[in-house]
Amino acid sequence: MVKVLTILSGLDGGGVENILLNYYRKMDKTKVHIDIVVHSQYEGKLEKTFSELGCKIYRVTPKTVSLKKEYRRHIQNPS
């Protein structure tokens, strides 16, 4: 089985999310499994649909927040 981890900014039904959903609906789930990393703390429109297809959704801190935290940490504690 091929396992794929896809990183997206959200699952709000944009072009990339819809294309991924359309492809995954037609794929043989015994041969391909997709999990998704989302840079968002809220549930998008397509999240339930992906979950029903067997995808696990991982939430991570939004990129902008992470960059700010990293910048502040580096300024306060330079190595």
Side-chain angles (χ1 to χ4, degrees):
M1 175 184 284
V2 175
K3 294 184 178 184
V4 178
L5 182 65
T6 305
I7 302 172
L8 300 170
S9 58
L11 290 173
D12 295 324
V16 173
E17 295 94 348
N18 275 311
I19 289 171
L20 182 63
L21 181 59
N22 289 335
Y23 282 147
Y24 197 55
R25 281 183 173 148
K26 303 214 184 296
M27 286 182 192
D28 182 350
K29 310 293 184 299
T30 63
K31 294 181 180 177
V32 178
H33 176 78
I34 296 177
D35 287 330
I36 302 170
V37 173
V38 180
H39 286 280
S40 175
Q41 299 305 314
Y42 65 93
E43 185 173 326
K45 293 184 226 177
L46 297 178
E47 190 165 325
K48 184 178 179 183
T49 306
F50 276 106
S51 294
E52 289 170 353
L53 289 171
C55 298
K56 180 156 175 137
I57 311 296
Y58 298 95
R59 296 188 185 287
V60 295
T61 305
K63 291 184 281 188
T64 55
V65 174
S66 294
L67 291 173
K68 288 177 187 175
K69 283 182 182 178
E70 191 62 27
Y71 177 75
R72 286 185 190 132
R73 187 181 64 80
H74 180 68
I75 294 299
Q76 292 172 354
N77 302 313
S79 325

